[in-house]
Amino acid sequence: MNAFQPKGNKARSRRGSVTTIGLCLAIALLEGLDLQSAGVAAPRIAKEFALSVAQMGWAFSAGAIGLLPGAALGGRLADRFGRKRVLMLSVALFGAFSLATTLVWSFESLLVARLLTGLGLGAAMPNLIALCSEAASPAQRSTAVGAMYCGMPFGAALAAAIGIISPGDEGWRHIFYVGGFGPLLMVPLLALWLPESAQFVEAKSQSTTNTEPPAGFVEALCSHGRARTTLALWISYLGTLIVLYFLMNWLPSMVLSNGLTRMQAGVAMMMFNIGGGIGAVGIANVMDRFSPRLTVLGMYVGIAAALAGLAGAGGSMSMAWGAFFCGLFLVGGQSVLYALAGQSYPTEVRGTGVGAAVAVGRLGSILGPLVAGQLFALGQSASMLVVASIPLIVVAALAALTVVGSFSPRLGAGAAVPGGRRA
């Protein structure tokens, strides 16, 4: 019987990993739907409340502002109380305030609802990354995080589909109904089926026998030689997310400004997110199988080329394909960055490290839509803004290559991570 025990343990571990990644994928899908919902609903929200382009930029950024403290706090709490508990609370929070968005009555109430929704959304992501990183074997961590993260663009594509089929000017609320009830229904499923990270449980039990106090916030990010990796992660997140969220929020308006229809704008948005879903899994899988450095270099070259193609697009077909390749490389690239963050920190501070990186990256999700909205209001063209974002991609690429150079993503069991700790 003992001869068969290791196989039984391995099978149970694999089932637990699949369950964890599957549930995290479902949450990521709902998070992607909610993040995209404001962009999809924007034209009809602006019409109902008579909002200017600049005001809609603030409405987009309100949710992003909530993401920043949510990510930092969610990651820190995950290292203290567990990934599962904090994730459940985060999901309940963004579900409740997504529903509250359907009840807004003014510009100010819209800002508050989106801000609090963003707080829950921000707290969820570090926990999703930590859970998937710790559920997978070291050689498959990028693929596991990518498989989870592909839910984000597919959820955003679902939001675009709901926007297309929702009738009339009042139809924008349907997106937020789905984005609210869906997460609330997932909370009991997480309570029943989501296992807590075994690595977290082990690290927590070891810390109880250790007389040293837990690492502080700065120590978690910078001690044991992690300062350079942390800074490079932050720069790569910031540059990539500025461009990603600019397109996520303003792509429909860009299509409309080229004289195309609302239906064609919805198709372009769906193509962007379908490409993102393919890229999230595909590029992460390439990362695990081949050279991490060449993978990162290739994905950023792809981002720059896709942005240049989108800037030169004019017709509906060229806009749709430009959006597809932007999604493929931008969203796929972001999934790789999330995987890199999960591998850059040891278990006991992984939530803190990932949460801090996500929080800094969220500055990009604030700045991208806000700056773009102000420039659009001043009469700048969409093509000019897309081209102007390419230098940011170059800076982000150099930072990401620095992170890859600091460690080997294909860690074996028990291999050292930056800082001399064990994965």
Side-chain angles (χ1 to χ4, degrees):
M1 184 174 180
N2 289 337
F4 292 97
Q5 188 63 31
K7 291 185 179 180
N9 289 340
K10 186 175 181 180
R12 283 193 295 272
S13 175
R14 183 168 183 175
R15 285 196 298 270
S17 297
V18 171
T19 300
T20 295
I21 295 169
L23 288 170
C24 289
L25 169 63
I27 298 302
L29 186 144
L30 291 167
E31 182 160 353
L33 184 148
D34 197 285
L35 285 170
Q36 188 61 62
S37 59
V40 173
R44 283 181 274 188
I45 292 176
K47 182 177 180 181
E48 179 169 332
F49 295 103
L51 302 180
S52 66
V53 172
Q55 285 177 312
M56 285 310 302
W58 279 107
F60 292 148
S61 294
I65 290 169
L67 294 171
L68 196 157
L73 185 61
R76 188 62 176 165
L77 292 176
D79 285 337
R80 300 191 65 178
F81 302 108
R83 286 74 161 107
K84 177 178 177 177
R85 292 179 182 177
V86 180
L87 180 61
M88 289 173 59
L89 179 61
S90 305
V91 171
L93 185 64
F94 80 73
F97 283 101
S98 182
L99 282 179
T101 305
T102 67
L103 304 175
V104 298
W105 61 92
S106 65
F107 173 61
E108 291 75 18
S109 62
L110 176 64
L111 291 181
V112 172
R114 298 313 298 162
L115 176 69
L116 295 175
T117 304
L119 191 67
L121 291 167
M125 183 51 69
N127 288 278
L128 295 174
I129 296 169
L131 281 164
C132 291
S133 294
E134 293 165 1
S137 66
Q140 295 178 319
R141 283 178 177 169
S142 295
T143 301
V145 174
M148 173 276 294
Y149 190 67
C150 77
M152 295 281 288
F154 286 138
L158 179 59
I162 295 171
I164 290 172
I165 64 176
S166 296
D169 292 335
E170 293 287 330
W172 66 266
R173 289 180 170 82
H174 297 167
I175 303 172
F176 296 103
Y177 287 136
V178 177
F181 284 118
L184 295 178
L185 291 174
M186 283 297 302
V187 172
L189 297 182
L190 294 175
L192 290 172
W193 297 106
L194 180 66
E196 180 56 276
S197 164
Q199 288 188 35
F200 170 79
V201 172
E202 181 182 358
K204 200 69 174 176
S205 64
Q206 290 176 356
S207 68
T208 59
T209 61
N210 191 348
T211 57
E212 294 183 6
F217 185 77
V218 176
E219 182 185 358
L221 299 176
C222 299
S223 64
H224 302 284
R226 290 192 291 267
R228 181 185 177 189
T229 299
T230 294
L231 180 60
L233 270 176
W234 288 4
I235 293 172
S236 63
Y237 272 51
L238 183 62
T240 307
L241 280 171
I242 284 176
V243 181
L244 175 58
Y245 275 83
F246 155 55
L247 287 179
M248 282 181 63
N249 285 284
W250 286 106
L251 183 57
S253 298
M254 287 169 56
V255 175
L256 294 174
S257 70
N258 281 347
L260 302 179
T261 66
R262 193 173 71 186
M263 178 73 74
Q264 290 168 324
V267 169
M269 202 69 243
M270 288 184 65
M271 291 290 285
F272 176 86
N273 290 297
I274 290 170
I278 295 171
V281 178
I283 298 178
N285 191 40
V286 170
M287 182 85 162
D288 279 334
R289 292 175 178 269
F290 302 103
S291 166
R293 184 178 293 275
L294 290 178
T295 302
V296 170
L297 181 61
M299 78 186 189
Y300 276 108
V301 170
I303 291 171
L307 289 172
L310 182 64
S316 61
M317 187 64 69
S318 59
M319 287 290 290
W321 281 110
F324 174 85
F325 285 108
C326 282
L328 181 77
F329 289 109
L330 268 171
V331 180
Q334 189 59 36
S335 76
V336 167
L337 293 181
Y338 283 144
L340 289 177
Q343 297 172 57
S344 296
Y345 300 93
T347 303
E348 58 268 27
V349 296
R350 182 168 288 131
T352 301
V354 172
V358 173
V360 171
R362 296 307 187 189
L363 287 173
S365 67
I366 298 168
L367 293 173
L370 185 60
V371 172
Q374 298 299 323
L375 291 175
F376 276 137
L378 293 174
Q380 299 294 335
S381 71
S383 296
M384 185 278 294
L385 293 180
V386 171
V387 171
S389 65
I390 293 178
L392 287 175
I393 293 302
V394 174
V395 173
L398 294 174
L401 289 170
T402 300
V403 177
V404 172
S406 68
F407 70 101
S408 173
R410 285 193 288 252
L411 297 169
V417 296
R421 303 291 186 90
R422 296 286 172 182

